[in-house]
Amino acid sequence: MNKKGMLIVLGFIIIVTAGFAAAGGIVESSQNAKPSFTGEYNVASDGRIAYVMESDGRQTLYVKGQGAESHEVYTAEESKMLWSPVFNENGDFSVVETTGYPEAPSGKQEFQLEHSDVHTISAEGGDVETVLQARGVITNLVKDPARKRWIINGIHLSTQGEPEEGFIPYASGLYTLKPNGDFEEIQSFETYSPSSLSIAENGKRMLMVLPDDYENATPDSMFESVERIYEMNIEKPEEMKIISNKDSEVPISEVVWMEDQNKLLYQTIMNYGEDGLYEYDMVSYDRASGEEGDRLRINDSVQHAKLTSDNTLLYYVKEVSEANQSESYELFRYHLESGEEEKVELSP
């Protein structure tokens, strides 16, 4: 091939490559522009669903009624995220708006330099009241069903003074927050942050998942620790106790409370200790007998499990891997009576 022919072929390759790159950019841009569910949601006693969608880097809280209709409630500031929406007694909403986790690698993250607010928003999305402004990262907001207050879970939270720059050893805490802004610590935790919070109907007790070395974690103990379910008296947090099987070596990652039946539903690993991929599922647990019951046959790992007040529906989120190696989220509900699982369609 002569020099001119080589230049023509080279030019053709460059044009085709650029075309593919441009097409890929268009696809990626289109995917970014398409509203996607972030995995943050909550379910009201009347069946309404509050959920967060993201489009073009902006997150918006929507509410879906029992029918197919949905309406926009609140849009976060650019580069901020909406976490843990909750329904309040009078029909309005509360939600966390946060800058989120620091982008630095583990061991260099300065959580105290982030910001998190708690907003209460009218049912139609018109009026917004900021109940709390704090430094740090609020990871979870849970409504106390018996009192006009919320329980907050956060990392390096503070409403006082200026933050100290530089890495600070990891610490989290549970707090109460009242509508008038009163903000009080319940309990602090070093090394870990509790997850999967559930509050009793009388507002006096709370369930959570924590590793069993949370009181005295060391580099060695962290490799051997097991995530278990703890119950805490909110007024006497020092009386925390394990309520899952103390002898089991299988970790637990999600829990919901069937309080009136003295039972739990929790997610665990069905083939723990065996070779191959872990097989996750939700199983029942009888607190009186201390025995694990039947598995639900979801046969998948789930997040943000929530049980309706009548103990008939279990909601949860599944993480889905896309063709472009990104992750997306889908919401499901599981009918405990029939064992039927259905996907909940969410849209703006």
Side-chain angles (χ1 to χ4, degrees):
M1 183 181 293
N2 59 30
K3 184 175 182 181
K4 181 178 179 181
M6 291 180 63
L7 289 174
I8 292 173
V9 171
L10 180 60
F12 177 76
I13 292 173
I14 292 173
I15 292 171
V16 171
T17 302
F20 278 125
I26 292 172
V27 171
E28 183 176 355
S29 176
S30 176
Q31 289 175 337
N32 290 337
K34 181 181 177 181
S36 59
F37 175 47
T38 67
E40 298 293 323
Y41 80 100
N42 212 325
V43 183
S45 57
D46 61 4
R48 288 177 300 153
I49 302 174
Y51 58 97
V52 179
M53 304 285 286
E54 181 170 324
S55 179
D56 288 328
R58 298 290 293 271
Q59 295 195 356
T60 299
L61 176 64
Y62 292 88
V63 174
K64 178 183 178 71
Q66 291 183 325
E69 75 285 354
S70 63
H71 67 272
E72 179 181 325
V73 175
Y74 180 77
T75 298
E77 293 181 16
E78 190 172 358
S79 76
K80 289 189 177 181
M81 290 164 279
L82 297 176
W83 291 351
S84 289
V86 298
F87 289 90
N88 298 317
E89 304 94 339
N90 58 358
D92 63 17
F93 314 94
S94 294
V95 68
V96 175
E97 182 172 5
T98 178
T99 52
Y101 297 109
E103 294 184 358
S106 178
K108 296 184 178 181
Q109 294 172 310
E110 299 179 62
F111 288 93
Q112 73 279 8
L113 301 183
E114 303 299 331
H115 297 274
S116 299
D117 298 335
V118 175
H119 304 304
T120 293
I121 306 162
S122 65
E124 298 303 322
D127 299 323
V128 179
E129 178 187 2
T130 301
V131 181
L132 177 71
Q133 292 180 306
R135 290 188 286 100
V137 180
I138 296 176
T139 59
N140 208 346
L141 180 71
V142 183
K143 183 65 184 175
D144 183 337
R147 296 175 173 84
K148 289 186 176 181
R149 69 177 185 183
W150 304 273
I151 304 297
I152 284 179
N153 186 18
I155 305 168
H156 289 178
L157 290 187
S158 176
T159 58
Q160 306 296 324
E162 293 297 321
E164 173 188 346
E165 293 194 19
F167 174 73
I168 299 174
Y170 187 96
S172 70
L174 292 172
Y175 304 81
T176 58
L177 174 65
K178 295 181 180 179
N180 63 2
D182 286 348
F183 180 63
E184 296 183 8
E185 183 178 272
I186 303 171
Q187 176 77 303
S188 61
F189 302 90
E190 296 181 359
T191 309
Y192 300 113
S193 182
S195 63
S196 199
L197 306 180
S198 300
I199 303 176
E201 285 299 318
N202 62 10
K204 293 182 179 180
R205 295 171 295 146
M206 180 188 307
L207 298 188
M208 67 193 74
V209 174
L210 271 171
D212 55 8
D213 67 335
Y214 79 91
E215 291 184 287
N216 188 26
T218 66
D220 291 335
S221 73
M222 292 173 72
F223 284 103
E224 300 177 355
S225 63
V226 179
E227 287 78 9
R228 304 189 190 277
I229 303 171
Y230 286 81
E231 182 178 68
M232 182 180 75
N233 183 327
I234 296 176
E235 302 302 325
K236 299 178 181 179
E238 68 278 2
E239 297 180 4
M240 279 182 60
K241 60 181 181 181
I242 296 175
I243 62 168
S244 54
N245 187 347
K246 296 180 182 179
D247 298 323
S248 174
E249 296 303 315
V250 186
I252 293 169
S253 51
E254 288 283 325
V255 61
V256 294
W257 199 350
M258 304 179 77
E259 190 178 357
D260 61 341
Q261 300 179 32
N262 201 26
K263 291 183 179 181
L264 309 174
L265 291 175
Y266 58 68
Q267 179 171 256
T268 187
I269 301 171
M270 309 310 299
N271 60 341
Y272 190 76
E274 301 176 9
D275 293 333
L277 297 175
Y278 280 154
E279 182 181 336
Y280 290 88
D281 210 340
M282 298 283 287
V283 299
S284 61
Y285 180 80
D286 188 292
R287 292 191 59 180
S289 66
E291 295 183 356
E292 198 170 86
D294 296 334
R295 57 189 291 186
L296 300 190
R297 299 290 174 183
I298 295 172
N299 300 327
D300 206 346
S301 176
V302 304
Q303 307 171 24
H304 303 316
K306 302 181 190 299
L307 190 65
T308 55
S309 57
D310 59 3
N311 292 338
T312 61
L313 295 173
L314 177 68
Y315 285 79
Y316 45 80
V317 172
K318 292 183 181 181
E319 189 172 334
V320 181
S321 296
E322 301 291 350
N324 64 354
Q325 298 185 337
S326 65
E327 302 297 330
S328 64
Y329 300 91
E330 295 177 341
L331 179 64
F332 291 84
R333 59 174 159 245
Y334 181 96
H335 297 258
L336 291 170
E337 183 69 26
S338 65
E340 177 188 359
E341 179 189 69
E342 60 178 319
K343 181 180 175 180
V344 180
E345 297 295 339
L346 301 173
S347 60

